[in-house]
Amino acid sequence: MSVYILVVDDEPDVEALFRQQFRRDIKSGRFTMEFAMSAQAALARAASVAAPSLILILSDVNMPGMSGLEMLPKVRAERPDVPVIMITAYGDAETRRKAIERGAVGLLTKPIDFALLRHEIDTRLGQAA
């Protein structure tokens, strides 16, 4: 089974950063990372990937148009089986509270601790196996 992680961020350099950090995993086929530049694109992609192959959504909070926090209840309604971790430059208590209330399983702050994120991905891969 091929498993997907969907990364949602409007910054173009995020894809290169994630591909670099997880290049061995991607090259070995351990998982596939897909990228969406907007919340709308992410919602469409999440709806089109068959269960259970989508195992995690990582989404930026601040994006033009629909924010990650606005997307969160929509993607949770569409895909309640897929955990969502929000990513923000502003890890304040209010943002964390809103993210958890709207269905996020966690909140990472930028710069991203990739060791922590790798642990989270390993956990999700173990659950999907």
Side-chain angles (χ1 to χ4, degrees), residues 55-56 83-85 105 119-129:
I55 62 162
L56 182 63
V84 180
I85 296 174
V105 298
H119 175 72
E120 189 68 40
I121 289 171
D122 289 345
T123 300
R124 303 295 168 202
L125 288 170
Q127 292 170 350

Side-chain angles (χ1 to χ4, degrees), residues 8-22:
V8 188
D9 199 306
D10 62 309
E11 295 293 329
D13 59 336
V14 167
E15 181 174 350
L17 176 65
F18 274 73
R19 287 197 185 282
Q20 174 66 26
Q21 288 292 325
F22 296 104

Side-chain angles (χ1 to χ4, degrees), residues 5-92:
I5 295 167
L6 179 60
V7 180
V8 188
D9 199 306
D10 62 309
E11 295 293 329
D13 59 336
V14 167
E15 181 174 350
L17 176 65
F18 274 73
R19 287 197 185 282
Q20 174 66 26
Q21 288 292 325
F22 296 104
R23 69 186 177 283
R24 288 187 187 105
D25 299 286
I26 294 167
K27 188 174 182 176
S28 72
R30 191 163 176 241
F31 55 80
T32 300
M33 254 186 190
E34 294 195 6
F35 297 86
M37 297 288 288
S38 69
Q40 292 86 349
L43 288 169
R45 187 62 190 135
S48 70
V49 175
S53 61
L54 181 62
I55 62 162
L56 182 63
I57 297 173
L58 303 166
S59 177
D60 190 22
V61 169
N62 294 315
M63 295 183 288
M66 184 188 306
S67 76
L69 289 175
E70 292 167 332
M71 176 195 75
L72 193 48
K74 296 174 194 269
V75 79
R76 297 295 297 145
E78 180 76 31
R79 296 297 302 268
D81 57 312
V82 180
V84 180
I85 296 174
M86 302 306 293
I87 301 170
T88 182
Y90 314 101
D92 60 275

Side-chain angles (χ1 to χ4, degrees), residues 22 56 85 107-109 112-123:
F22 296 104
L56 182 63
I85 296 174
L107 182 88
L108 296 175
T109 55
I112 296 169
D113 179 344
F114 281 101
L116 181 65
L117 181 54
R118 180 172 297 283
H119 175 72
E120 189 68 40
I121 289 171
D122 289 345
T123 300

